[in-house]
Amino acid sequence: MLPRKVIIENYFTFIEVMSIRSFNKELLENIWFVSKNGKKAQELLTDIELLKASKNIVSGKFAKASKEEKELLKEESIDIGKKIEEKEIIWKALEKEIQNAEQKIPNVPAVDIPLRDGLSEEELKYKKLILSRANRLVFEENDHVLKAMMALI
């Protein structure tokens, strides 16, 4: 599966790459969906983490608070907890839809794959350049995983 970050940051490159081998409306829609909603999912996750941090701050104030302040802090904590739950439900649903779309996007073809006949030399060079760039983007995104695996060996 292609890394989501690469699809989000290089949307047009991947549209071009997929047009080299096979291209249909569903594939275009899936790439667009991942690109658009991947950003939203990340923003939701950031919001959730910020709300959790806020709740931790409120909880930290609880021990030193007076009786009236504790009641207010408790209400604030409950409100923050409800917001977290609401956002997590939205995030989980969106994440599931994104993963379904990601699974329908094929991997980037290797640079040395045979391309269809009838391409001019210029078209062939251009398409090979696009494939090379896309493969480099995917490799660079996964490079940290490879380095971590090599460190374990």
Side-chain angles (χ1 to χ4, degrees):
M1 186 168 16
L2 293 173
R4 184 180 303 175
K5 179 180 176 186
V6 174
I7 294 172
I8 291 169
E9 293 176 357
N10 303 282
Y11 171 77
F12 291 108
T13 299
F14 283 97
I15 293 296
E16 182 70 26
V17 165
M18 295 307 161
S19 72
I20 291 172
R21 291 294 290 182
S22 61
F23 192 71
N24 60 45
K25 185 179 177 185
E26 182 184 11
L27 179 59
L28 174 62
E29 288 171 351
N30 286 324
I31 294 171
W32 176 82
F33 186 85
V34 170
S35 178
K36 179 184 174 201
N37 292 297
K39 292 175 189 177
K40 285 182 183 178
Q42 187 58 45
E43 290 168 3
L44 273 170
L45 196 55
T46 300
D47 289 347
I48 292 167
E49 294 301 320
L50 290 172
L51 285 168
K52 287 180 178 180
S54 295
K55 189 170 180 173
N56 287 340
I57 291 169
V58 169
S59 297
K61 294 177 181 179
F62 195 79
K64 296 179 183 178
S66 67
K67 192 173 184 177
E68 302 98 35
E69 290 173 333
K70 283 183 180 182
E71 201 54 43
L72 291 172
L73 290 171
K74 183 179 175 183
E75 288 176 21
E76 186 178 354
S77 180
I78 290 170
D79 289 343
I80 294 171
K82 287 178 183 176
K83 288 178 185 176
I84 291 170
E85 287 177 19
E86 290 170 3
K87 287 191 182 267
E88 282 181 336
I89 289 169
I90 295 167
W91 176 78
K92 286 177 184 176
L94 183 58
E95 189 64 26
K96 187 175 181 178
E97 289 181 51
I98 293 169
Q99 288 174 356
N100 286 337
E102 285 175 324
Q103 291 174 353
K104 295 175 186 173
I105 300 172
N107 285 328
V108 175
V111 177
D112 57 352
I113 58 147
L115 297 173
R116 69 179 187 268
D117 294 333
L119 295 175
S120 70
E121 189 65 33
E122 189 175 300
E123 288 175 312
L124 190 61
K125 285 180 184 178
Y126 174 73
K127 291 185 182 297
K128 294 277 186 185
L129 177 68
I130 294 295
L131 286 174
S132 176
R133 179 171 182 238
N135 276 287
R136 188 177 67 248
L137 290 169
V138 171
F139 178 77
E140 287 171 0
E141 180 62 27
N142 290 325
D143 194 36
H144 70 283
V145 174
L146 295 173
K147 287 178 182 176
M149 289 172 63
M150 294 302 288
L152 295 174
I153 296 175

